[in-house]
Amino acid sequence: FGLSYSGAFGAASVDFSYLSSTAKSNASAITDKIYGNTMSLAVGMDLGTLSPYLTYATYEMGQDGSNGKFGLGETGMRIGTTMAMGEDTVGVEMTTVTAKGTGDSSSSKAVSETGIEVGYATSVGPATLSIGYGTYSIAVGDMTGPYRSFYAVAPTTDYGKGGSMTDLEVKLAYSF
């Protein structure tokens, strides 16, 4: 089952989607079912030089069967804006995501990610220069999956162990 809507109300645009599904094998010996649900909402506004936006999404997917019910659920949000200033543009965005095991694995602690980015872009003749800075952190869950892996113990490269990073990006483009 699915439902989708996209429309505009004056300066605001709205996009909404919902999907739910369940699947089961035709073989009588297999009783396991898989399931998935997802929903997203995006709202943006064009206020001339200012363009704020909000995006919210959530999903859950998993398996329900003879070995129990287990899965993964994730919820995220982005909120930000861009602002034009002549040939220049400034932007800022904040993101947050939380992931948690569901069903029999619901006792695992949620892993949460948070980020913020700021950026600036300008054009001089045929050249465009953009600079962006971001910071991103991941709060440690219980150091065992399910986020980004289904390992019993998260490997050292798995974000399930937490951490942070910063990013500086500079891009110079020239078109002719």
Side-chain angles (χ1 to χ4, degrees):
F1 168 77
L3 172 69
S4 181
Y5 173 80
S6 182
F9 304 94
S13 62
V14 177
D15 294 302
F16 174 81
S17 295
Y18 175 79
L19 174 68
S20 180
S21 65
T22 303
K24 182 185 177 311
S25 173
N26 288 333
S28 61
I30 300 175
T31 60
D32 291 8
K33 297 177 187 174
I34 57 171
Y35 62 90
N37 300 297
T38 185
M39 190 274 303
S40 66
L41 172 67
V43 178
M45 297 182 73
D46 184 357
L47 304 174
T49 59
L50 187 65
S51 298
Y53 57 89
L54 167 75
T55 303
Y56 174 84
T58 185
Y59 77 87
E60 180 182 351
M61 62 183 181
Q63 178 180 343
D64 188 359
S66 57
N67 291 331
K69 182 175 183 177
F70 63 93
L72 173 67
E74 189 169 359
T75 300
M77 180 189 73
R78 292 177 16 172
I79 186 167
T81 189
T82 59
M83 182 171 181
M85 300 181 308
E87 293 290 318
D88 301 348
T89 303
V90 175
V92 64
E93 177 179 279
M94 198 227 46
T95 61
T96 182
V97 176
T98 301
K100 186 172 186 333
T102 61
D104 296 344
S105 59
S106 61
S107 63
S108 65
K109 295 179 183 173
V111 175
S112 60
E113 307 175 13
T114 305
I116 189 163
E117 296 180 33
V118 293
Y120 172 79
T122 188
S123 296
V124 178
T128 302
L129 175 66
S130 57
I131 300 170
Y133 173 80
T135 183
Y136 183 78
S137 64
I138 301 165
V140 176
D142 56 7
M143 292 183 65
T144 62
Y147 193 55
R148 298 194 191 265
S149 70
F150 284 96
Y151 297 107
V153 176
T156 57
T157 57
D158 191 343
Y159 285 121
K161 290 190 171 200
S164 64
M165 70 172 215
T166 54
D167 182 31
L168 177 63
E169 181 179 326
V170 179
K171 180 181 176 183
L172 178 62
Y174 187 82
S175 59
F176 50 94

